[in-house]
Amino acid sequence: MPNLDPRIKLRHLSCFVETDRHGGVVPAAEALGLSQPAISKSLAELEDILGVALFDRSRRKLALTEYGAQFLRYANAAIAALRQGVESVSLASHADAVVRLGALPTVEVEVVPRAVARFAMGPLAARLHVESGPSPHLLGLLRAGAIDLVVGRMPAPDVMAGLSFEHLYSEPLVLAVRPDHPLLEEPEPSLRMVEPFPALVPPRGAIIRQTVETVLLAAGITHLPREIETVSNSFGRAYALLSDAVWFISRSVVAADLQSGALAALDVDMSASYGAIGITTRAGAELDLPTAAFIAAVREVVSRR
């Protein structure tokens, strides 16, 4: 591909476009704040570089030649692209930017807070709006353009039309209970032993609900007679601590509690519950720099987990 002639400058394109737009050299000079001779000189230089006449000067009013009409399309596109490029990296243009994201329960305790802290220290830090809730709610906001991305478990394939998912890592569910839960005394606890106890589970429609049901079916459990549906991490933690409830929850949500001993995880094989965690966006959507910077912060936090 031949290189662009280095003699062509932005002023050449600007003078050419404005002369056509205003129908003459004099009004173009006024619009650009230049002298009439400067405009005429730039046009002459551009025509000399291209080797063709861009304007028909035989009429009282300047008119584009066929060459000029063809070149105008590209000149307009080049200026527009350059303007968009400047605006896209201008910090001033992002002064009022808002990064709007949805955080599923899986990541709203650990990943998203850390990403927000990292993003806030960067040069593209902007206002943040963090929406939480179940997957159908957040995906609805994403499709409507009310938020720009959702961080959390990958949506089910049947709702991925028009969306794009970036996988970051995978993690399992755990069965979290209070430290003195009776099932912790069992030498070989199993999922079947959970049935008599209250069970905190995600509601129908939540991404991990299907995962929970799959794990239960594999253990021969068709339903839990004492289930309590919730997407609230604070309620789940509080209720698990004051009752004999077994909480089906993503490991990262209770990681700090498990490490400190505030909660315990039943020693049950939950390897079948591994799910993809990542970032969901609208397919083909162009993200502004602050939003792209926040996504980069999420990636960085995940890489250091």
Side-chain angles (χ1 to χ4, degrees), residues 2-304:
N3 293 328
L4 179 68
D5 193 317
R7 293 175 295 169
I8 296 179
K9 310 297 183 184
L10 180 59
R11 65 178 173 85
H12 290 128
L13 302 182
S14 298
C15 290
F16 169 62
V17 168
E18 292 303 314
T19 298
D20 172 72
R21 177 178 294 126
H22 294 282
V25 171
V26 174
E30 294 176 356
L32 292 172
L34 300 173
S35 66
Q36 180 179 343
I39 298 289
S40 298
K41 179 182 179 183
S42 291
L43 293 177
E45 288 176 350
L46 182 58
E47 289 179 322
D48 182 62
I49 294 170
L50 297 175
V52 296
L54 298 174
F55 289 100
D56 181 356
R57 294 174 174 79
S58 63
R59 309 175 187 179
R60 291 184 59 183
K61 182 179 180 180
L62 286 180
L64 290 173
T65 63
E66 291 184 4
Y67 292 114
Q70 181 176 357
F71 185 69
L72 179 65
R73 291 185 294 135
Y74 296 100
N76 275 325
I79 292 175
L82 182 59
R83 182 181 296 112
Q84 292 172 0
V86 171
E87 291 176 352
S88 72
V89 298
S90 171
L91 292 180
S93 69
H94 299 304
D96 298 323
V98 180
V99 177
R100 304 165 302 170
L101 65 132
L104 286 164
T106 309
V107 295
E108 68 177 357
V109 172
E110 183 181 22
V111 173
V112 168
R114 293 177 184 273
V116 168
R118 177 171 293 276
F119 173 71
M121 295 186 296
L124 291 170
R127 290 190 296 132
L128 282 160
H129 174 83
V130 182
E131 188 82 20
S132 61
S135 179
H137 169 65
L138 294 183
L139 292 181
L141 293 178
L142 179 62
R143 292 184 184 280
I147 57 177
D148 302 307
L149 68 147
V150 174
V151 186
R153 285 210 170 212
M154 183 176 69
D158 59 345
V159 299
M160 279 299 294
L163 301 177
S164 176
F165 180 78
E166 176 185 349
H167 177 267
L168 297 178
Y169 65 99
S170 297
E171 73 170 17
L173 301 181
V174 296
L175 304 181
V177 296
R178 58 185 172 85
D180 55 348
H181 195 284
L183 284 178
L184 292 173
E185 300 176 3
E186 294 289 340
E188 296 183 5
S190 67
L191 274 172
R192 294 305 299 263
M193 294 180 182
V194 171
E195 285 186 275
F197 295 91
L200 291 161
V201 296
R204 289 164 177 79
I207 290 178
I208 64 173
R209 176 65 185 227
Q210 185 174 354
T211 302
V212 170
E213 291 178 349
T214 299
V215 170
L216 291 173
L217 284 173
I221 303 172
T222 56
H223 75 285
L224 295 169
R226 301 178 64 187
E227 73 174 29
I228 301 169
E229 296 185 347
T230 183
V231 294
S232 172
N233 292 334
S234 55
F235 171 77
R237 182 179 188 276
Y239 194 75
L241 288 173
L242 63 82
S243 71
D244 285 339
V246 177
W247 189 13
F248 289 72
I249 190 67
S250 294
R251 174 173 286 278
S252 61
V253 174
V254 292
D257 284 325
L258 296 178
Q259 185 173 5
S260 68
L263 289 172
L266 296 180
D267 188 17
V268 175
D269 182 10
M270 296 293 285
S271 57
S273 68
Y274 269 89
I277 313 295
I279 299 168
T280 304
T281 56
R282 292 184 298 279
E286 292 188 11
L287 303 178
D288 59 22
L289 276 184
T291 302
F294 179 79
I295 289 176
V298 174
R299 297 188 186 115
E300 180 66 19
V301 165
V302 169
S303 72
R304 295 174 180 272

